[in-house]
Structures are given as structure tokens and as C-alpha cells.
């Protein structure tokens, strides 16, 4: 715990058997109280590796629900365990767990409601091997989103995020997509709910075992992101009503 706040790490996994142990062993258990592994119907032995590591909370999907669906299970279980702070960490070791203390303390001390690990600050993305087309798309989409959503974030597309209980309870994340655009929808909702969002510079690593979506899925994701931003702008200015933000 930190400041009497329960800290829970959630690991949304799909075929993460080769990297799960490396990710898990770097989690700072001096401040982390629980770990939740959610396996999205992997075809490898991710679940067996999780059990061998002693992870007590393992959720196994009977069928593949998708990246967003996997996260929904993670957050539901974390709130069920009465977590005060929830760290969403990819178990593919693309993001280092060593940043958890820095990110968590910002929430535990009531500085921010949400903290993102930014790959863009300090040029971490390209140094870590992010493909050039993804980097360019990231910068264009982020600029577009900052303009339409009135924010000044360095990126909206990181998979390393820390949430307060207040932030998770403030948005209807259960109604979001079960695909990759879930992350962006969630962040848009948090902005709309006026949650205070901070960023920490985060190095990242691209390697064969790390998860990554292909070009066609990236295009689909990019179009989805544009849709979230446009809906945010139109809803905020009362030009339309979007179900993404209507209940916030």
C-alpha cells in the first residue's frame, strides 16, 4: 500500500508466455498488493506460467474477447478487490514495471487521477524501435486529438496507464468497444469527466515477442481514434449526443 491505498496491477494477456515472467519479476511488490492476470483465450501456456509464478487472481476467457474486452475483465476484478490504484501493465515486457512507483505515487498523493507512461517524451518511442509509420501516425493523431479535445497530452496511445478508483468509477468503460480503440475511448471519457491526467516519460521496447498490431489493424484503430475525437468535440459543443459521453 501507499498512503493506506491498495495498489493492484492488472495484466491483460494474450500469448504472453515468453515475457510474462520477466514482466512479473520486475513488479515492485513492496508497494503492490495484488496482481490480476486476465488471459484472453491464449493459444500458448500463458495461464500455466501465471500459475507457476504464484499469481493468485487469474481470469481465463472461454473465447477471445479482444483487447478491450480483456481490460474490462481486469478493471472489474480490480474494483471487486477494492483497489484504490490500478496499474494496467502489458505483460509483453514492452513497458518497464520499474516505473510503477513513480507513476503510482502521483496518484497516491492526490496529484493526478490518471498517469500515463508516455513513449513520446524524451524520444523513447523511436529509441525503442517503434516503426516510423507508427510514430508519424501517433504524432498526427495526437495533434488532431489535442485540438479537438482541448488537451495537451504528448500521446493518447500508450498502453501503460495508472488509474485511481475515482477515475475508473467516473466513466462507463463497460460500454466501450472490445477492440483496440477501447483505450482511446476510455481516455476520451476520462478527459470529458475532467479527470486530472499526468504523464511520465517511459522507454519502450519493440521486439518479436512484444505484442503489436499489423498495418491494417493500425489503420482501423486510427480511424476509430478520429471518430472518438470528433464525437468528443461534437458532444462537448452540444451538436450531437454520443453514447460514449452521454452518461458522464
Amino acid at each position: 500500500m501507499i498512503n493506506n491505498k491498495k495498489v493492484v496491477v492488472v495484466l491483460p494477456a494474450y500469448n504472453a508466455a515468453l515475457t510474462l515472467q520477466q514482466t512479473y519479476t520486475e513488479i515492485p511488490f513492496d508497494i503492490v498488493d495484488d496482481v490480476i492476470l486476465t488471459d484472453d483465450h491464449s493459444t500458448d501456456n500463458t495461464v500455466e506460467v501465471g500459475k507457476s509464478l504464484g499469481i493468485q487472481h487469474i481470469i481465463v476467457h472461454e473465447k477471445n474477447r479482444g483487447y478491450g474486452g480483456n481490460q474490462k475483465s481486469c478493471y472489474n476484478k480490480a474494483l471487486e478487490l477494492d483497489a484504490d490504484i490500478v496499474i494496467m501493465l502489458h505483460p509483453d515486457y514492452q513497458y518497464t514495471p520499474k516505473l510503477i512507483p513513480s507513476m503510482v505515487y502521483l496518484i497516491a498523493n492526490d496529484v493526478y487521477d490518471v498517469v500515463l507512461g508516455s513513449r513520446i517524451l524524451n524520444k523513447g518511442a523511436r529509441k525503442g524501435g517503434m516503426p516510423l509509420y507508427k510514430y508519424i501516425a501517433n504524432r498526427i493523431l495526437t495533434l488532431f486529438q489535442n485540438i479537438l479535445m482541448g488537451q495537451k497530452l504528448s500521446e493518447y496511445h500508450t498502453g501503460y496507464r495508472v488509474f485511481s478508483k475515482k477515475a475508473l468509477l467516473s466513466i462507463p468503460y463497460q460500454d466501450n468497444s472490445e477492440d483496440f480503440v477501447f483505450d482511446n475511448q476510455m481516455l476520451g471519457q476520462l478527459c470529458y469527466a475532467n479527470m486530472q491526467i499526468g504523464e511520465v516519460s517511459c522507454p519502450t521496447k519493440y521486439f518479436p515477442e512484444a505484442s503489436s498490431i499489423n498495418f491494417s489493424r493500425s489503420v482501423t484503430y486510427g480511424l476509430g481514434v478520429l471518430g472518438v475525437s470528433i464525437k468528443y468535440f461534437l458532444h462537448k459543443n452540444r451538436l450531437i449526443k454520443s453514447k460514449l459521453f452521454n452518461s458522464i
Side-chain angles (χ1 to χ4, degrees):
M1 286 191 172
I2 301 177
N3 294 347
N4 292 317
K5 294 180 178 178
K6 185 174 183 179
V7 180
V8 175
V9 170
V10 298
L11 303 170
Y14 178 69
N15 290 344
L18 296 178
T19 54
L20 177 56
Q21 181 173 351
Q22 194 171 13
T23 303
Y24 183 82
T25 54
E26 284 192 10
I27 293 174
F29 285 102
D30 55 328
I31 62 171
V32 171
D33 299 286
D34 275 313
V35 174
I36 300 166
L37 173 68
T38 303
D39 180 75
D40 199 25
H41 199 63
S42 294
T43 57
D44 65 6
N45 62 331
T46 295
V47 173
E48 287 71 20
V49 173
K51 290 178 179 178
S52 72
L53 292 170
I55 299 176
Q56 294 185 358
H57 305 287
I58 299 178
I59 300 169
V60 181
H61 288 170
E62 295 291 330
K63 62 179 182 179
N64 185 275
R65 288 183 56 186
Y67 178 69
N70 210 6
Q71 283 194 65
K72 291 175 187 179
S73 294
C74 286
Y75 300 137
N76 291 344
K77 183 64 176 180
L79 292 173
E80 180 186 316
L81 294 175
D82 201 26
D84 295 298
I85 300 173
V86 180
I87 304 117
M88 195 271 281
L89 175 66
H90 289 184
D92 63 356
Y93 201 60
Q94 191 173 31
Y95 302 94
T96 174
K98 293 178 180 179
L99 279 177
I100 287 175
S102 298
M103 298 171 75
V104 166
Y105 271 100
L106 290 171
I107 293 180
N109 289 306
D110 299 318
V111 179
Y112 293 111
D113 302 302
V114 179
V115 177
L116 308 177
S118 172
R119 300 167 294 178
I120 302 302
L121 294 172
N122 198 32
K123 302 179 181 180
R126 289 293 290 152
K127 285 182 180 178
M130 177 186 278
L132 182 59
Y133 82 89
K134 288 192 175 184
Y135 178 80
I136 293 172
N138 184 303
R139 306 316 305 131
I140 293 172
L141 288 172
T142 295
L143 174 62
F144 186 83
Q145 290 184 273
N146 276 333
I147 292 171
L148 286 184
M149 296 170 60
Q151 303 294 323
K152 291 187 177 180
L153 296 176
S154 68
E155 76 157 323
Y156 290 75
H157 316 291
T158 174
Y160 200 1
R161 304 171 177 218
V162 183
F163 306 97
S164 65
K165 178 191 287 187
K166 171 187 171 183
L168 288 176
L169 292 177
S170 72
I171 60 171
Y173 66 82
Q174 289 280 24
D175 297 334
N176 293 349
S177 168
E178 302 217 326
D179 207 345
F180 287 103
V181 78
F182 171 89
D183 268 351
N184 213 259
Q185 291 175 333
M186 194 176 182
L187 196 50
Q189 290 170 332
L190 290 164
C191 290
Y192 192 83
N194 294 315
M195 294 294 108
Q196 296 300 305
I197 302 173
E199 295 181 283
V200 170
S201 175
C202 175
T204 186
K205 298 177 286 292
Y206 286 80
F207 54 96
E209 291 78 22
S211 61
S212 183
I213 60 176
N214 59 33
F215 181 77
S216 62
R217 294 295 297 278
S218 296
V219 171
T220 301
Y221 168 78
L223 293 174
V225 166
L226 294 177
V228 171
S229 304
I230 292 169
K231 289 175 184 176
Y232 182 101
F233 177 83
L234 295 175
H235 186 93
K236 189 81 170 178
N237 289 281
R238 299 182 179 180
L239 298 172
I240 66 165
K241 286 187 176 181
S242 170
K243 64 179 182 180
L244 273 178
F245 311 106
N246 209 35
S247 62
I248 300 174

